[in-house]
Amino acid sequence: MRAFDKVPNSWHEQIINLLAERVVIVDDNGIILYINEGYCEFIGTTMEEAIGRQVQDVIENSRMHIVAQTGVKELASVQQINGSEMIANRFPIVEEEQIVGAVGNVMFRNPEEWRMYKSKIQSLVDELNYYQAKVQRDLQSKYSFQDLIGDSPNFLAAKTLAQRVSRSDSSVLLIGESGTGKELFAHAIHHDSNRTAAPFVAINCSSIPEHLLESELFGYEDGAFTGAKKGGKKGQFELASDGTLFLDEIGDMPLTMQSKLLRVLQEKEVVRVGGHKSIPVDVRIIAATHRNLERMVEKGDFRQDLYYRLNVIKIDIPPLRMRKEDIPAVAKRLLKKLEARFFRNGIELSIEVTERLMQHSWPGNIRELENVLERSINVLDGKTILLMHLPLYLRDRETEGGNAGNLHNEQTVSLSNILSTEPKNILPLKETLVQAEKQAIEQALVVTKGNKLEAAKLLEIGKTSFYDKCKLYDIN
């Protein structure tokens, strides 16, 4: 018994009319066996007049008899009826491998219906094109070597080496403190490479939970785990194929993932989570870290074989305190960038501010400098940034000592200020240390623009300890 046999015959015509307003059925000779009332009204005839006649004699420009002969379906075919262009679908009917007829329907009764449908579809197409273009822009390098500002010898040495190796396919390892511009170097290397037309994909290994990192890098198949996207998802390696994959903070990658990454780099193929098929990938790797990987290898925290695979070309990017002569030029470029964001122009630094910037040790490097300038513009009325516009920790400070070079020096200065008060104002040692610790945490958060993970790294304390202290001191 066929499944449709359970449907009462009296329902059949109603079902056809509900599913499609204008339907016609012909036999293999093109004779109309059935045409519904909606179609008859549309072409100005009746069912009695139409049934039993050749379809081309009843319906203008019909091709139903042709489909019934050839067995080739025709989808979204333009058909002129009553002076209007309609959209028609035509399907052959097959029984026991023989073409016995054809069924067709007209989708739009008038040009207005078609234009309304086309308008809806076009808006979806435009939206799709917009997001496709956005994805393509996001996967392109945003910076070139012209954006790497500085003339100090150690910075120029790093920049020159990066330019020299950019057209190679060898792996590059960028070493530098947080905020020194490692990602800008990676963008510039890709921009100047033979892969510049292909994608540039960046992923921060420290910001993705360990249990998600594998699927993020290698992708996953449909149903690989609870919550997996229907149809699966490409990983970053596949997205970066023929281009460059930038692995930022590679030193924070778990050991279990390091071995899987090494296999992909050796075999040049990935296997999605939940899948079995090997997918070839051609990707150039640029890795970056602020950690001492050599020491991590010695301690067993980083795989030696992966280190040597990544460390084909090593580029050390100097911190801002080691190239203070570049600070005015870097600040000028950052001001131009911030002017566009704040719709301002012509902003300058006073001589006193430039001198104060040159005196600071910049533990947060260029990222801290940009945050300081952004803060200054927010409170600026005119066009010249003065000392009064700088953050308090820069404004109230005299020049730093010759050994100043990191946040611990700033803690020492703050502590000495507390201890140098009048005897009658001296606090208990425990409370004094608490104030110094709280001030150091708050300053680290200013430098990292509220990024607690980066602030913990600056202070060289564990993430859990940092969060506990923030909770203890009520620091949000």
XYZ file of all heavy atoms in Angstrom, residues 59 79 87 103 138 156 172 185 188 195-196 214 226 229-230 249 261 340 376 396 419 442 468:
184
model
N -2.517 27.294 -22.572
C -1.640 28.170 -21.781
C -0.588 28.794 -22.698
O 0.161 28.084 -23.382
C -0.939 27.388 -20.644
C -1.978 26.764 -19.722
C -0.014 28.315 -19.845
C -1.382 25.863 -18.652
N 8.180 32.831 -17.960
C 7.135 32.535 -18.946
C 6.198 33.725 -19.080
O 5.677 34.215 -18.086
C 6.348 31.284 -18.531
C 5.229 30.931 -19.499
C 4.487 29.683 -19.060
O 4.959 28.937 -18.201
N 3.329 29.433 -19.647
N 6.936 33.392 -13.281
C 7.976 32.422 -12.932
C 7.308 31.060 -12.807
O 6.415 30.870 -11.980
C 8.675 32.784 -11.611
C 9.222 34.210 -11.673
C 9.796 31.794 -11.308
C 10.264 34.423 -12.744
N 4.015 17.908 -14.319
C 3.239 18.805 -13.486
C 3.965 20.144 -13.425
O 5.198 20.188 -13.372
C 3.030 18.229 -12.071
C 4.359 17.960 -11.389
C 2.184 19.175 -11.197
N 37.969 41.438 7.349
C 38.487 41.015 8.651
C 39.617 40.012 8.508
O 40.428 39.860 9.425
C 37.364 40.409 9.498
C 36.355 41.470 9.947
O 36.699 42.668 9.886
O 35.239 41.093 10.333
N 64.836 49.278 14.667
C 65.095 49.175 13.226
C 65.653 47.803 12.860
O 65.347 47.261 11.787
C 66.071 50.267 12.775
C 65.475 51.644 12.519
C 66.571 52.624 12.093
C 64.387 51.593 11.450
N 57.765 32.171 11.871
C 58.367 33.316 12.551
C 57.907 33.307 14.007
O 56.720 33.093 14.288
C 57.973 34.647 11.881
C 58.539 35.827 12.659
C 58.442 34.680 10.438
N 53.500 43.624 13.917
C 54.572 42.985 13.155
C 54.024 41.831 12.325
O 54.388 41.654 11.154
C 55.681 42.484 14.099
C 56.804 43.460 14.290
C 56.691 44.518 15.177
C 57.986 43.330 13.581
C 57.725 45.429 15.363
C 59.035 44.228 13.754
C 58.902 45.283 14.646
N 52.143 43.143 9.354
C 53.059 43.717 8.367
C 53.791 42.629 7.585
O 53.974 42.740 6.365
C 54.060 44.641 9.062
N 51.731 35.859 0.257
C 50.394 35.389 0.618
C 49.445 36.540 0.926
O 48.370 36.334 1.488
C 50.486 34.470 1.849
C 51.306 33.207 1.614
C 51.514 32.445 2.926
N 52.274 31.221 2.715
C 51.742 29.996 2.657
N 50.440 29.856 2.784
N 52.496 28.934 2.462
N 49.824 37.747 0.582
C 49.052 38.925 0.997
C 47.603 38.903 0.523
O 46.728 39.465 1.182
C 49.748 40.217 0.503
O 49.038 41.352 0.988
C 49.802 40.266 -1.021
N 40.846 23.278 20.708
C 41.019 22.311 19.619
C 39.988 22.532 18.518
O 40.325 22.585 17.335
C 40.920 20.884 20.145
C 41.155 19.841 19.054
C 41.131 18.415 19.582
O 40.903 18.229 20.800
O 41.344 17.488 18.779
N 27.737 18.394 22.165
C 26.503 19.125 22.472
C 26.689 20.607 22.174
O 27.646 21.229 22.629
C 26.134 18.948 23.958
O 26.008 17.549 24.232
C 24.828 19.651 24.277
N 27.472 23.417 15.997
C 26.702 24.047 14.928
C 26.303 23.022 13.888
O 27.110 22.166 13.507
C 27.551 25.155 14.287
C 26.851 25.926 13.197
C 27.791 26.993 12.645
C 27.159 27.757 11.497
N 28.094 28.752 10.925
N 25.065 23.063 13.437
C 24.586 22.124 12.426
C 25.414 22.260 11.151
O 25.631 23.352 10.658
C 23.108 22.378 12.123
C 22.489 21.360 11.166
C 21.001 21.588 11.019
C 20.385 20.626 10.029
N 20.533 19.215 10.430
N 50.303 34.713 21.899
C 50.461 34.124 23.235
C 50.558 32.595 23.145
O 49.887 31.856 23.877
C 49.315 34.545 24.157
C 49.219 36.038 24.397
C 50.482 36.653 25.018
O 51.360 35.891 25.454
O 50.582 37.889 25.059
N 49.067 20.537 17.789
C 49.518 21.581 16.879
C 50.764 21.133 16.133
O 50.886 21.357 14.913
C 49.803 22.863 17.660
C 50.438 24.017 16.885
C 49.514 24.478 15.754
C 50.764 25.186 17.808
N 40.965 60.513 14.630
C 39.907 59.994 13.759
C 38.771 59.396 14.584
O 37.600 59.539 14.244
C 40.490 58.942 12.815
N 43.806 61.422 27.906
C 44.098 62.861 27.832
C 43.145 63.568 26.875
O 42.670 64.675 27.152
C 45.549 63.074 27.393
O 46.443 62.465 28.296
N 51.724 63.380 38.762
C 52.298 63.692 40.064
C 53.719 63.185 40.227
O 54.322 63.363 41.267
C 51.435 63.076 41.178
C 50.113 63.805 41.300
O 49.976 64.862 40.664
O 49.235 63.297 42.003
N 55.479 56.177 53.109
C 56.323 56.128 54.304
C 56.966 57.468 54.634
O 57.499 57.657 55.725
C 57.412 55.065 54.131
C 56.901 53.620 54.024
C 58.047 52.682 53.709
C 56.223 53.211 55.334
N 45.419 48.761 40.909
C 44.630 49.753 40.172
C 45.415 50.333 39.007
O 44.885 50.547 37.905
C 44.179 50.868 41.124
C 43.124 50.407 42.122
C 42.774 51.485 43.138
O 43.621 52.385 43.345
O 41.669 51.418 43.710
N 41.384 37.242 43.529
C 41.111 37.257 44.966
C 41.425 38.617 45.578
O 40.680 39.135 46.419
C 41.938 36.177 45.664
C 41.438 34.761 45.350
O 40.295 34.658 44.876
O 42.204 33.810 45.556
